[in-house]
Structure formats: C-alpha cells, structure tokens
Amino acid sequence: MKRILLIATGGTIACAKTEGGLAPALSPEELLARVPDAQSLCHTEAVQPFNLDSTNISPRHWLLLAQVIEKHYLDFDGFVICHGTDTLAYTAAALSYLIQHTRKPIVLTGAQKPIDQEDTDARQNLLDSLRYACSGDSGVCILFGGHVIAGTRARKTRTKSYNAFSSINFPDLAEVRDHRVARFIPCPQTGSPSFFHRLDTDVALLKLVPGLPAEAFAAIGRLCDGLVIESYGVGGIPDLYLEQLDTLAQAGKTIVLATQVPQEGSDISVYQVGHRVKERYHLLEPYDMTLEATVTKLMWVLGQSQNPEEIRRLFYSPVNFDLIF
Ligand code: ASP
C-alpha cells in the first residue's frame, strides 16, 4: 500500500463556524476521519506545520512546506497538502520552483465549503487527491473539482463555485472521475529532486490603472529588487512612467513587463509602447506564464542569482510546464 503524507495547513476545508466567521480549526486527523474510504487507498500519516486562513500565508510558509517535504521525501510515495483556496495558486507555483524534478506527486487541494458541511466539496477533493497521490504521477499540481492542474498554471477564477480553479494557457494535466485517473499530459522525465531554500521576497506586483500617479509607480519600484508590472494587452509602458522606469533600470532592478489580460499572455515587441522599452531596459516578459508563476518564479530566480545574464537564463528556463511561448 502506498504511503502518503497529509500536510494540513488550514483553509476552508478545515474551518469551523465562529462568532466572527469561518476560521481554521480541524486537525489533520479530524480531516482524515471525515474520509474513511481513504483507509482502503493508502497508508496515511499527517502533519500540521500551521493552521491558517490562506490569506495569511506568505513566502516563509512556502519555504516551510518545501522543508517539510524535503525532510519526509524518502519516507513517502506522495504528498497531499490541504490549503485555503485564496492563495493556493501562489503556493502551488512557489512549490513548483522550490521542489523541481520531483518524481513523486505533490498534490495541493482545498475546498469551497468546510468538510463538516453536508453539501461540501471537501470530502471529494481530499479523497481524489489521496487517490491521485497514489497514482504514481510526478510533479507539483492542484487537484480541485476533479481537475488536475500543473502547479504553475492554476488560478482561482471563481470565488464560490466548486470548479474554482482554471488552468491558464495550458490544458489540465489529468482528471479524477468516478475513482479513476485519466492523464492527458505525459509526466516529464524526472531525475533526482532538487530542493531550493532561498527566495528573494522583495518582489512586487504593480497593476497599472489609467492615471496611476508616476510617484506611486516610482515608490513601489524603489522598495523592491524585482518588479512585475501588470500592464495592458500584450504589454506596454505608458509615456507617463518612462522617466521612472529609466531610474529603476539604472538602479539595477529586475523588471518584468506582464499583462493583466488573463488569457494568452504577453508579446511586448508588437506595439511601440512595449518595443521601445523592451530592448533598452532588458525587460523580461512572462509570455504565457501566469501572474502567480511569474511573481513566484522571480522570487526564486532572484534568490539564486544577482547576475543579469543568469537571471534571464533562469527566468526563461521552463519549470513544471510554466512556459511554452
Ligand atoms: N479564506 C479561505 C482560505 O483561503 C478560503 C478557502 O479556503 O476557500 O483559507
């Protein structure tokens, strides 16, 4: 029987009602007790490194989760992480960079309703995740509503429905339906896993809105090492910020020019507003990467190197299906 480590971190799946609204309360043992069928699937052990609404999760929690998996990597065949849905896509992307070439499945899941509610999706998601973790597939992924999405491709696109996550610019990896796993995208060849222990968390995401003051643009850029600019369409910088961009580039900031359009990605050479800045400032662009992947990849890249050529090489090296372009 396969051995699976359940890592419980809080989220709606583990919530109970309080006078002040839902808050994480259940232990991993209590979660497992709600899915008795799991006993016939796998041998499960459980840990709970923290118990949070995922609104409160930050990069130090991603590093901690990667550490927990590294510590137990040889003892288990797969890992299931129960997590709040709100920042699940960021955690899945971050873990995709912190744990590369894993030949074991690392499956993140959660729920839109607490596991103790009658009409909950939690029991199905947890059971499907344990089943998928036993399937022998490799890599970091999100399982939600039967869909298995690469850890770098997920976005929470619905706040209430049970199909809360979409795979952006890439197909689902697999589906779990009626107790069966159907795999659509072959698992990549994997060797030994690489675990990383550093992120540069001084990375910010700045969403442009028409009329955003130039001083706000400059201020957020000054405060970080890496700046992801969520611009418009295929990508461009308004005239208003050219001077500020010049200052940031001269200060050695790593700047990524992304798009706020959810589908199909960037192509900043197309229009003059993008073309004029791309070469001049050696801007990076995400192409078809999600914003969640772009931000966490930049944290990982800047955690590995300060050298502009190496930063560029790492940023454009595909990891866990994050980039095709
Ligand atoms: N606020 C909750 C969380 O992210 C929402 C959820 O889990 O669905 O922890």
Side-chain angles (χ1 to χ4, degrees):
M1 202 176 237
K2 296 254 171 119
R3 293 168 59 82
I4 305 298
L5 182 65
L6 177 71
I7 305 173
T9 71
T12 294
I13 191 167
C15 271
K17 283 188 182 147
T18 74
E19 274 183 11
L22 291 173
L26 271 60
S27 69
E29 291 74 24
E30 287 171 313
L31 288 174
L32 282 171
R34 307 310 192 261
V35 287
D37 290 356
Q39 285 176 20
S40 60
L41 285 178
C42 50
H43 168 79
T44 317
E45 291 179 30
V47 290
Q48 188 171 51
F50 45 88
N51 201 16
L52 293 173
D53 188 301
S54 77
T55 302
N56 284 317
I57 280 181
S58 65
R60 76 184 167 85
H61 299 104
W62 305 334
L63 290 163
L64 180 58
L65 286 174
Q67 260 175 39
V68 169
I69 293 172
E70 183 172 16
K71 182 171 159 212
H72 294 285
Y73 193 77
L74 295 178
D75 304 328
F76 292 91
D77 300 300
F79 301 84
V80 171
I81 302 175
C82 288
H83 192 291
T85 62
D86 291 346
T87 61
L88 183 58
Y90 286 97
T91 300
L95 291 180
S96 300
Y97 299 113
L98 291 173
I99 310 171
Q100 297 185 26
H101 315 296
T102 167
R103 63 182 191 283
K104 298 184 181 182
I106 298 171
V107 187
L108 293 104
T109 195
Q112 293 283 49
K113 299 257 172 83
I115 202 160
D116 279 336
Q117 282 191 15
E118 209 173 312
D119 59 346
T120 183
D121 52 337
R123 289 189 288 272
Q124 190 68 50
N125 284 345
L126 181 51
L127 212 48
D128 283 350
S129 297
L130 291 167
R131 180 168 278 115
Y132 188 71
C134 293
S135 71
D137 285 359
S138 56
V140 179
C141 63
I142 287 181
L143 192 151
F144 211 93
H147 298 269
V148 182
I149 300 171
T152 56
R153 288 292 183 173
R155 167 146 332 135
K156 185 172 180 180
T157 48
R158 292 182 181 81
T159 54
K160 297 178 182 173
S161 308
Y162 289 169
N163 56 341
F165 286 86
S166 304
S167 185
I168 303 296
N169 298 330
F170 197 72
D172 288 355
L173 297 178
E175 271 182 21
V176 180
R177 299 265 171 243
D178 299 330
H179 315 307
R180 289 209 187 91
V181 175
R183 179 89 192 183
F184 307 131
I185 305 285
C187 294
Q189 297 293 327
T190 53
S192 327
S194 312
F195 288 91
F196 294 86
H197 308 102
R198 268 185 61 82
L199 294 170
D200 180 346
T201 57
D202 287 337
V203 167
L205 174 65
L206 172 64
K207 183 170 194 145
L208 297 188
V209 290
L212 176 86
E215 185 43 39
F217 184 100
I220 193 156
R222 264 198 306 274
L223 292 173
C224 58
D225 300 331
L227 178 64
V228 180
I229 301 169
E230 218 183 322
S231 73
Y232 312 115
V234 287
I237 292 284
D239 300 351
L240 183 61
Y241 313 126
L242 288 177
E243 207 182 305
Q244 283 72 18
L245 186 69
D246 190 68
T247 309
L248 295 178
Q250 287 195 32
K253 312 284 181 181
T254 303
I255 300 165
V256 182
L257 188 52
T259 175
Q260 50 193 259
V261 180
Q263 306 275 349
E264 299 177 359
S266 70
D267 192 355
I268 64 181
S269 305
V270 174
Y271 294 96
Q272 203 181 44
V273 287
H275 195 274
R276 65 183 176 185
V277 287
K278 180 172 176 170
E279 297 308 325
R280 179 152 184 209
Y281 297 118
H282 306 292
L283 298 190
L284 299 169
E285 67 172 311
Y287 296 106
D288 57 313
M289 275 193 277
T290 66
L291 277 169
E292 292 85 342
T294 302
V295 168
T296 53
K297 191 173 197 178
L298 191 57
M299 289 183 185
W300 168 70
V301 168
L302 296 180
Q304 311 315 307
S305 179
Q306 300 300 311
N307 174 291
E309 282 316 305
E310 182 62 0
I311 290 171
R312 179 166 289 267
R313 189 190 70 77
L314 287 173
F315 188 78
Y316 287 131
S317 302
V319 176
N320 194 22
F321 305 108
D322 64 350
L323 179 67
I324 304 174
F325 75 94

